[in-house]
Amino acid sequence: INLLWPSEKALQEVHEVGYLIGFLFSRKYFLGEIAVGPSVVGGVKRGAADYTTSSGYKSEKFIAWSDKLMAFSLYALIYFLPVSIALSESLTGLVLFAYLLKRGTIVCGYLRDPQNHASKFKKFLIAFKPVDSILNVPIYILVTVSFISMIQSQYFLQSFEGFIGKVLECAFLYFNFIECMRSKKRIKIFLSVLLVSCALISMNGIYQVTMGKEFFFGHVFNGRVSSSFRHANDFGAYLV
């Protein structure tokens, strides 16, 4: 009888799972749409000043500040990436912190909206939905395949560390980049910082060849240029 007539709780769970699948792979909501405002796609717009809920709850200044913090962290990350692994990881954490502040404010707006009768689960999904791009589905597939490979690995702890610290971290940085780098001005600043950093690292490599050691950490030239990196292969990958 329970199989023929499932309970309301079971139907709700099926509804939530179906909504999550449709949410990840489509802009249109699976099993029904949720009205969150006339000009809001997935509850979030590209511009920082446009992060507004249907109830009119706005925290534009705080969200704009969080968005700027994300952009600044990405500028610093791309600049110090060739120099310090620890600093790069710290800046990645700062990007995550700014992202949580930004999206957390949006979640609070949805939860305080008396006109939005969607469940808290759906509101949470809408608030934390990644910005739409052509690479979303390929990245979801990559993360899924990596997760399956992790759980079947003979070295689960090492695979789990790589999955969290490499796959999810890179996917997270990509989604944050396309979210906050929404203007030509920010793209130009990012590319300028990248070119300056690359120029310094290249000059450091030339200095290492001519003087026998580079001027950042004193790495000795051993026949292959490594610049500030630990190995010459890392330097080559960075230049490519």
Side-chain angles (χ1 to χ4, degrees):
I1 296 176
N2 290 334
L3 293 176
L4 296 176
W5 301 98
S7 63
E8 294 183 1
K9 182 178 180 181
L11 289 175
Q12 179 66 20
E13 292 177 353
V14 172
H15 182 87
E16 300 290 357
V17 172
Y19 178 86
L20 177 59
I21 296 174
F23 175 85
L24 289 175
F25 291 96
S26 175
R27 292 188 181 185
K28 295 181 179 180
Y29 299 120
F30 187 66
L31 296 177
E33 296 185 356
I34 300 176
V36 292
S39 61
V40 181
V41 178
V44 177
K45 267 193 173 183
R46 290 295 295 271
D50 296 322
Y51 284 67
T52 308
T53 63
S54 60
S55 64
Y57 174 81
K58 299 180 180 180
S59 299
E60 295 182 1
K61 290 184 179 180
F62 184 78
I63 293 175
W65 176 86
S66 301
D67 190 73
K68 291 179 181 179
L69 179 60
M70 288 173 57
F72 173 80
S73 301
L74 288 171
Y75 299 150
L77 175 61
I78 199 63
Y79 183 82
F80 291 106
L81 181 63
V83 179
S84 174
I85 297 177
L87 186 56
S88 299
E89 295 295 333
S90 299
L91 290 170
T92 302
L94 185 59
V95 175
L96 174 60
F97 176 71
Y99 172 81
L100 293 177
L101 287 178
K102 181 179 183 179
R103 294 304 183 98
T105 304
I106 300 171
V107 171
C108 293
Y110 284 123
L111 294 178
R112 295 182 182 183
D113 184 4
Q115 298 178 356
N116 194 332
H117 302 291
S119 65
K120 293 182 179 180
F121 177 75
K122 292 180 180 180
K123 293 178 181 179
F124 182 85
L125 284 181
I126 293 173
F128 280 91
K129 183 178 186 296
V131 176
D132 293 313
S133 74
I134 194 173
L135 294 179
N136 280 29
V137 173
I139 289 178
Y140 295 151
I141 295 175
L142 174 63
V143 172
T144 302
V145 172
S146 300
F147 178 79
I148 296 174
S149 177
M150 177 196 70
I151 61 178
Q152 294 182 345
S153 175
Q154 296 180 352
Y155 304 95
F156 178 78
L157 293 179
Q158 292 85 342
S159 298
F160 178 78
E161 181 180 354
F163 179 75
I164 299 296
K166 299 297 183 181
V167 179
L168 289 186
E169 180 179 349
C170 292
F172 166 78
L173 287 175
Y174 165 76
F175 286 124
N176 278 266
F177 178 85
I178 63 174
E179 177 174 330
C180 68
M181 297 295 167
R182 65 189 184 279
S183 64
K184 291 184 179 180
K185 180 180 178 180
R186 288 190 175 183
I187 298 252
K188 288 181 179 179
I189 294 175
F190 183 85
L191 292 178
S192 299
V193 173
L194 174 61
L195 290 176
V196 170
S197 177
C198 186
L200 289 175
I201 297 303
S202 299
M203 292 171 58
N204 188 32
I206 296 173
Y207 184 86
Q208 184 183 32
V209 175
T210 56
M211 303 302 295
K213 64 179 180 179
E214 52 94 18
F215 53 75
F216 278 118
F217 304 109
H219 295 165
V220 179
F221 178 67
N222 58 358
R224 300 182 65 189
V225 182
S226 62
S227 189
S228 61
F229 292 89
R230 295 181 178 181
H231 196 275
N233 290 346
D234 298 332
F235 180 51
Y238 174 79
L239 293 178
V240 172

